[in-house]
Amino acid sequence: MATITLPEAEVQETKKSTTKYVYFFGGGKADGNGKMKDVLGGKGAGLAEMTNAGLPVPPGFTIQTEACREYMRTGAASKEVDQQMDEALAKLEALQGQKLGTGENPLLVSVRSGAKFSMPGMMDTILNLGLNDKSVEALAKRSNNPRFAADSYRRLIQMFGNVVLDIEKSAFDEVFDAKKKQKKTKLDTDLDAKDLQDVIGEYKKVVKKHAKRDFPQDPREQLVMARDAVFRSWQNDRAKHYRRINNIDDMLGTAVNVQAMVYGNLGDTSGTGVGFTRNPATGTKEFYGEFLMNAQGEDVVSGVRTPVHISELEKIMPDVYNQLHEITTRLEKHYKDVQDFEFTIQDGKLYMLQTRNGKRTGLAAVRVAIQMVEEGLITKDEAIFRVEPNQLYDFLVPRLDEKSTKVEVLATGLPASPGAAVGKIAFTADEAVKMAGHDTTKNPVILVRAETTPEDIHGMEVAKGILTSRGGMTSHAAVVTRGMGKCCVAGAGDIDVNEKAREMRVKGQTFKEGDWISLDGTTGRVIKGKLNTLDPSPDDPELQKFMNWADPHRKMKVRANADIPRDAIQARAFGAEGIGLCRTEHMFFGEEKIPHMRAMILADNEKDRRTALKKLLPMQRKDFEGVFKAMDGLPVTIRTLDPPLHEFLPRREELMVDIALLPSYDAKHKKELVAKYKDYGAKVVGDLKKLLPTLLARVEQLHEFNPMLGHRGCRLGITYPEITEMQARAIFEAAVDCTKKGIKVLPEVMIPLVATLKEMANQGAIVRRVAEEVFKEKGMKVDYMVGTMIELPRAALVADEIAKESEFFSFGTNDLTQTTFGFSRDDVNKILPTYLAEGILKQDPFAALDQEGVGQLVKMATERGRKTRPTLKVGICGEHGGEPSSVEFCYRTGLNYVSCSPFRVLTARLAAAQAAATDTLKVEGGRTK
Ligand code: ADP
Ligand code: MG
Ligand code: MG
């Protein structure tokens, strides 16, 4: 076998008047190479690279992505594209000594989509193009295999009908299934040539009926139509959806690969398969894959037949197996990354059809990165780019708690994507969406399908886990869930899924929609009922090793948002270096606190308010002590009370209903009401009559039309200074008490929703005064800081002023996004889907920081603040603090730290390390995509 030579970057940008639209590959040489993913797409680049390396790749040509972009702009392919395609086709025909779809030895081709980033199953491929009523006979004669010829033709009509003519797959499936039923068989391979000819006849009728035209007999017309359909498929809903959730640019477009067919369905010495050079679920170094004999194309991944493990190939065809093993090992060495490959065996001869860097779980990504460093394939610095920051989440996925309940294993499928999921069964994607509603945690759903298709993507997104009864480790369900970091058990063949009847049967039991099941994606087990889940331990030694390589590159600190000691302890275990946001209001929701909190809110005068606050003081102090203890030696940012007060009171409408209906309620119902209003002072039924109207009056007083822009944040502390006083007292008393116990405390008091210098000065003065009082009373001083959250555009504009009174800034980017866009965060989902679909926004600005707009405010405020106070400490504590692209932005803007939810700390650490390493190491695109 030829050795693989590194390609010279021969992307000559010769500015000729015409663009090179078509790149040929074949005869040991390709016009393009592996680096040209932008132009040729991932698949085209891989085919070119393999061809240049002398690997057995069927020849063909790639129509580049610019042609697709033009097609999107103008709605048609230009004459130039047509002409270059015809020239390349002529070259292919000459090389093969065949003519497309004509003559005694007709050339057949596949038409394959392939964008820069792989989008599994999102785009469509057509095989056996060139067949028609005449060439099918030539193929039968030439191959001396009429069954094979008919099988290929029926596949073409089916794929062409679906992809090009937009006919539902089921229209063809019905015909095919009817034939199998008639022949009393379940296997495609049991149908003979005659049966398949019948199927072809029926398929043609399906085409005529649905597309109102005949299946095109002219091979070139087939080719042009297929090419254009691939261009159009870039814009189909599934593709758009996939791009959105994976952050892929809509404007890239796809390339089209036209490639001479090789036939895996020629008989028992032919077959097709897919594989990975290492296990993509666990990272174990093992040759890994699946194949089917006498099969073509998608058969392996579609789950129509359950494929066989690659090790079987060694027994059936040892030579082919060895050659495949050798080729893929070389490919891995060449690309220095796990390869995900496709191959076809035609009459005992091996052909490579695709290679690309394999998608893998976070677990596998870390393991493989470490292995490859140990094998000397990559350096430690390169290794840190081999894991996407979000993938580290995999180490934090839950496991099933098998001690709490009896475990009844219903079936064992393939461990397609690790983690555990517990939920109610839904049999269709739509039903899953319905059942999950707005809260996928409260309403956990397991999507159960015979096999998933790209049409199920919306259901897969809301589901906690996916279970399929067919398909392998490389099935659609497996690949997509691994990308999502979601638990999946695939190919659990013992389960009989009946989507129409909405039930599944296994071990003689029947399960209906809404029944509970538990999945273990790490072992592949399907378990009856609702098991508890266990928190995973983040102390995996390989993860630690990997993070020890990454962390030294990092220049920003990573903190966590945590309100209670339990979360703080957890965050610390994940490597948080402080708390960036401790929200005090969450502390008030505790059982024993809420009545006092409510008394405080209901008070309409300062005296009553102070009485209630006094009761809250010791409780707050205890909360803070707990958090300080957990974070011993690390800084803790505590925010003073932020939300509008009525969030702690019953809803106005609800009260009105209760008041109106009270007289008509029976004794039992009245008792229930007493319980409901117990926290507001209801003890017996008699209390209700007076209490409820009083409550309503206060609720009315507090009512606001736009509470998010209302009486909240520092505005509360300014109108009710005693609240800030009590909180400051609790913080400093706790700080001193802890210090006396030998705990090192670094409190940072943060004033929310500041827009002007004077607001900051007002609240800062209270905090500092109380601090001095407490220090005097207790005879001990503690170092502390007072600062603000920057979450209003005005604050960013006058940050130089505010910095006079503020020792640190923390960007509250949730509110800052809300107020900069004027989007209500809680209602934006009515608008967002359309905005994303229309491309008005590229991303949800509440998920990934809007660098263009909101980011400018962040940058400006940082610069202005530091002009006044060069030592100003600056951080971010919005949701964005754990999102990789936003973390990178924070690094470039010179922030001192990011703060995020405990579960995103690992992700933020890696993202921050990668951002800094990209700078210092000048690595370009070292990431696996
Ligand atoms: P996807 O992007 O979904 O992987 P592909 O373009 O790789 O789609 O093709 C789908 C299937 O068809 C794959 O199994 C591939 O190996 C097979 N295939 C594509 N082109 C050919 C060909 N020229 N000969 C034989 N099989 C092919
Ligand atoms: Mg493929
Ligand atoms: Mg806020």
Side-chain angles (χ1 to χ4, degrees):
M1 201 193 81
T3 47
I4 300 166
T5 46
L6 274 166
E8 271 127 52
E10 44 181 341
V11 202
Q12 327 146 319
E13 271 299 329
T14 33
K15 267 276 161 247
K16 273 188 284 174
S17 57
T18 50
T19 314
K20 182 168 172 62
Y21 287 106
V22 181
Y23 289 73
F24 195 81
F25 57 89
K29 172 138 182 46
D31 295 347
N33 65 56
K35 293 214 167 109
M36 298 170 68
K37 284 193 190 172
D38 283 323
V39 179
L40 304 178
K43 197 176 288 165
L47 290 169
E49 188 83 353
M50 289 197 290
T51 303
N52 283 329
L55 299 185
V57 175
F61 52 88
T62 304
I63 305 171
Q64 69 134 307
T65 52
E66 176 58 21
C68 177
R69 290 189 291 271
E70 272 178 28
Y71 187 93
M72 285 193 274
R73 285 196 293 273
T74 64
S78 67
K79 284 222 172 66
E80 261 310 309
V81 173
D82 277 345
Q83 197 194 322
Q84 291 189 26
M85 182 184 86
D86 288 337
E87 282 165 18
L89 180 61
K91 192 170 168 187
L92 180 62
E93 289 176 333
L95 182 69
Q96 295 286 91
Q98 295 173 300
K99 284 250 177 258
L100 182 66
T102 37
E104 281 173 16
N105 180 14
L107 171 68
L108 306 185
V109 294
S110 62
V111 177
R112 319 169 66 185
S113 61
K116 179 176 179 186
F117 302 109
S118 76
M119 298 163 63
M122 290 296 135
M123 314 282 289
D124 296 302
T125 293
I126 296 159
L127 302 178
N128 312 325
L129 189 133
L131 280 176
N132 56 25
D133 293 350
K134 260 182 101 174
S135 56
V136 70
E137 277 172 27
L139 185 67
K141 220 170 171 184
R142 173 98 196 165
S143 64
N144 202 11
N145 187 340
R147 186 203 174 272
F148 150 72
D151 184 50
S152 303
Y153 194 23
R154 70 95 190 161
R155 286 171 188 266
L156 171 64
I157 302 175
Q158 192 173 336
M159 284 184 269
F160 195 94
N162 177 242
V163 178
V164 182
L165 303 172
D166 272 332
I167 301 168
E168 292 271 345
K169 279 200 180 86
S170 57
F172 295 105
D173 286 346
E174 272 165 29
V175 172
F176 203 68
D177 289 343
K179 192 74 203 176
K180 282 198 279 190
K181 202 163 206 176
Q182 187 206 336
K183 299 295 284 192
K184 296 198 174 58
T185 176
K186 278 191 174 158
L187 292 177
D188 300 7
T189 39
D190 285 348
L191 298 184
D192 62 21
K194 172 76 188 49
D195 300 328
L196 292 168
Q197 265 141 22
D198 294 346
V199 169
I200 289 166
E202 291 300 313
Y203 273 7
K204 284 189 191 160
K205 284 188 204 152
V206 170
V207 169
K208 182 90 190 184
K209 180 174 162 214
H210 291 270
K212 313 263 178 297
R213 63 158 293 166
D214 286 317
F215 174 76
Q217 292 290 320
D218 174 7
R220 188 177 177 281
E221 188 188 359
Q222 289 177 2
L223 180 58
V224 169
M225 287 176 78
R227 175 197 67 194
D228 292 352
V230 174
F231 286 154
R232 284 196 301 276
S233 74
W234 175 259
Q235 299 283 55
N236 74 27
D237 290 343
R238 299 180 264 144
K240 281 193 203 161
H241 193 89
Y242 185 87
R243 288 200 292 274
R244 207 172 309 140
I245 55 183
N246 287 284
N247 262 325
I248 297 172
D249 189 343
D250 275 333
M251 292 317 294
L252 290 173
T254 180
V256 180
N257 300 286
V258 178
Q259 187 176 24
M261 283 302 301
V262 285
Y263 307 101
N265 55 337
L266 211 46
D268 290 338
T269 52
S270 300
T272 179
V274 295
F276 286 84
T277 50
R278 307 188 189 213
N279 186 317
T282 61
T284 308
K285 193 176 177 183
E286 60 185 345
F287 194 46
Y288 185 86
E290 293 162 333
F291 73 103
L292 281 171
M293 295 311 279
N294 199 8
Q296 192 177 45
E298 305 281 63
D299 289 2
V300 179
V301 290
S302 71
V304 175
R305 280 160 64 190
T306 298
V308 186
H309 195 269
I310 197 93
S311 52
E312 288 297 309
L313 185 63
E314 193 173 8
K315 295 176 198 153
I316 310 174
M317 294 182 157
D319 288 348
V320 170
Y321 176 87
N322 288 336
Q323 192 193 356
L324 180 66
H325 188 71
E326 186 195 1
I327 287 176
T328 54
T329 309
R330 273 164 194 250
L331 284 170
E332 189 189 81
K333 274 215 181 94
H334 176 62
Y335 285 104
K336 297 183 175 184
D337 204 350
V338 176
Q339 294 302 295
D340 163 358
F341 53 86
E342 291 174 4
F343 62 95
T344 283
I345 305 161
Q346 173 177 309
D347 250 342
K349 182 166 163 25
L350 175 70
Y351 291 93
M352 298 304 294
L353 287 167
Q354 191 172 329
T355 192
R356 62 182 169 202
N357 293 349
K359 285 190 200 289
R360 66 208 79 166
T361 63
L363 244 69
V366 168
R367 305 243 139 97
V368 167
I370 291 176
Q371 285 165 19
M372 290 197 160
V373 169
E374 284 165 358
E375 291 165 25
L377 274 177
I378 56 174
T379 65
K380 284 179 191 171
D381 289 341
E382 283 171 314
I384 67 171
F385 290 95
R386 291 300 176 84
V387 181
E388 292 282 332
N390 278 326
Q391 287 187 308
L392 292 180
Y393 190 74
D394 284 12
F395 284 90
L396 311 175
V397 289
R399 287 165 296 141
L400 291 175
D401 176 7
E402 305 193 20
K403 286 197 190 110
S404 60
T405 7
K406 198 177 136 261
V407 174
E408 182 184 346
V409 178
L410 294 172
T412 302
L414 299 166
S417 184
V422 178
K424 290 182 175 176
I425 298 173
F427 288 105
T428 66
D430 288 343
E431 189 59 34
V433 169
K434 231 191 269 161
M435 283 167 62
H438 291 293
D439 194 337
T440 55
T441 307
K442 246 194 216 145
N443 311 307
V445 174
I446 306 282
L447 180 62
V448 179
R449 308 277 293 157
E451 58 194 289
T452 64
T453 69
E455 270 97 23
D456 293 327
I457 196 95
H458 55 302
M460 298 174 73
E461 223 190 324
V462 298
K464 286 280 164 201
I466 316 287
L467 167 62
T468 65
S469 59
R470 288 192 296 212
M473 287 296 281
T474 44
S475 64
H476 177 264
V479 172
V480 173
T481 48
R482 280 200 293 272
M484 290 175 165
K486 192 164 279 187
C487 163
C488 175
V489 175
D494 291 347
I495 298 179
D496 185 11
V497 179
N498 188 338
E499 280 148 14
K500 273 216 176 105
R502 303 253 172 142
E503 60 180 38
M504 70 172 208
R505 268 187 226 169
V506 60
K507 281 174 77 183
Q509 306 176 40
T510 303
F511 296 83
K512 301 233 173 257
E513 210 139 48
D515 288 345
W516 286 89
I517 50 166
S518 305
L519 301 183
D520 180 351
T522 314
T523 61
R525 290 169 312 158
V526 181
I527 295 162
K528 185 176 175 174
K530 184 184 175 185
L531 261 64
N532 290 330
T533 48
L534 285 178
D535 290 343
S537 62
D539 40 25
D540 178 281
E542 290 191 290
L543 173 65
Q544 300 303 333
K545 188 172 192 174
F546 177 78
M547 292 309 290
N548 285 340
W549 293 345
D551 270 329
H553 290 281
R554 186 154 57 83
K555 299 204 178 78
M556 277 192 303
K557 297 268 183 203
V558 174
R559 299 193 188 185
N561 301 341
D563 304 334
I564 51 172
R566 192 192 62 215
D567 291 352
I569 291 165
Q570 170 117 83
R572 204 170 175 159
F574 294 162
E577 297 159 303
I579 287 183
L581 176 62
C582 174
R583 292 166 298 186
T584 51
E585 57 270 17
H586 285 220
M587 294 178 166
F588 291 123
F589 283 113
E591 270 286 324
E592 78 280 27
K593 275 169 252 176
I594 199 93
H596 302 300
M597 183 65 185
R598 286 175 172 156
M600 193 271 284
I601 296 163
L602 290 174
D604 49 11
N605 60 74
E606 190 186 324
K607 191 170 147 274
D608 290 353
R609 212 162 20 243
R610 282 196 184 272
T611 314
L613 282 167
K614 226 182 210 150
K615 296 214 174 93
L616 284 170
L617 173 68
M619 301 176 187
Q620 277 252 285
R621 191 173 54 218
K622 211 173 120 213
D623 290 333
F624 293 142
E625 272 176 21
V627 175
F628 288 149
K629 220 166 109 190
M631 299 310 284
D632 186 4
L634 300 176
V636 177
T637 306
I638 298 169
R639 181 177 70 185
T640 52
L641 196 63
D642 181 50
L645 293 181
H646 62 71
E647 276 191 12
F648 298 91
L649 295 179
R651 282 184 49 236
R652 179 165 162 252
E653 292 71 21
E654 217 174 290
L655 262 172
M656 287 170 144
V657 170
D658 285 339
I659 291 171
L661 295 182
L662 182 63
S664 66
Y665 280 166
D666 59 18
K668 185 173 155 248
H669 212 138
K670 279 182 178 154
K671 272 224 176 99
E672 280 168 18
L673 272 195
V674 172
K676 179 170 166 189
Y677 292 104
K678 161 174 117 282
D679 290 344
Y680 302 93
K683 290 195 183 79
V684 292
V685 172
D687 295 340
L688 291 172
K689 214 171 145 210
K690 221 183 122 214
L691 176 72
L692 296 189
T694 318
L695 255 178
L696 178 62
R698 185 64 178 148
V699 169
E700 299 263 4
Q701 259 177 13
L702 291 174
H703 177 258
E704 292 178 307
F705 286 103
N706 285 315
M708 274 302 147
L709 300 174
H711 195 184
R712 55 172 291 219
C714 68
R715 300 159 196 175
L716 280 173
I718 290 170
T719 47
Y720 304 138
E722 53 278 11
I723 298 181
T724 307
E725 271 173 31
M726 181 281 283
Q727 293 201 293
R729 181 163 277 280
I731 292 169
F732 292 113
E733 288 184 356
V736 172
D737 291 352
C738 283
T739 310
K740 285 184 175 167
K741 285 181 203 151
I743 295 162
K744 189 161 163 36
V745 186
L746 297 164
E748 302 172 343
V749 183
M750 180 160 75
I751 311 298
L753 217 73
V754 162
T756 74
L757 170 64
K758 288 200 170 150
E759 285 174 328
M760 185 61 217
N762 172 299
Q763 292 292 288
I766 296 178
V767 174
R768 292 189 181 102
R769 170 172 56 77
V770 173
E772 287 313 313
E773 283 169 19
V774 172
F775 295 160
K776 216 160 137 200
E777 285 161 27
K778 302 226 166 204
M780 178 183 246
K781 267 187 194 293
V782 172
D783 282 340
Y784 68 95
M785 283 206 264
V786 187
T788 185
M789 255 175 125
I790 304 285
E791 48 189 340
L792 293 173
R794 193 185 193 283
L797 293 169
V798 300
D800 46 348
E801 284 287 303
I802 292 175
K804 287 178 188 161
E805 290 290 331
S806 182
E807 293 164 277
F808 67 86
F809 285 172
S810 175
F811 289 98
T813 45
N814 300 340
D815 265 320
L816 190 58
T817 300
Q818 176 160 259
T819 50
T820 302
F821 271 101
F823 279 150
S824 157
R825 181 154 53 117
D826 306 300
D827 302 315
V828 76
N829 281 333
K830 294 205 180 80
I831 309 161
L832 209 53
T834 312
Y835 269 46
L836 293 173
E838 294 288 324
I840 293 171
L841 286 178
K842 277 227 171 89
Q843 286 171 314
D844 174 354
F846 290 99
L849 187 74
D850 159 47
Q851 300 184 12
E852 259 169 50
V854 180
Q856 281 204 48
L857 289 172
V858 172
K859 196 160 170 266
M860 179 197 295
T862 306
E863 286 165 5
R864 293 190 178 177
R866 285 193 177 142
K867 218 179 242 163
T868 304
R869 190 188 286 272
T871 56
L872 188 79
K873 198 183 208 183
V874 184
I876 176 179
C877 63
E879 288 295 311
H880 306 96
E883 189 280 320
S885 71
S886 314
V887 172
E888 193 200 343
F889 174 82
C890 291
Y891 166 76
R892 280 192 276 113
T893 311
L895 265 53
N896 300 92
Y897 70 85
V898 296
S899 187
C900 55
S901 79
F903 276 90
R904 294 176 91 179
V905 166
L906 274 172
T907 296
R909 278 166 64 196
L910 181 56
Q914 288 182 347
T918 304
D919 238 15
T920 49
L921 303 175
K922 303 259 177 292
V923 269
E924 37 154 302
R927 296 170 203 207
T928 353
K929 251 284 172 192

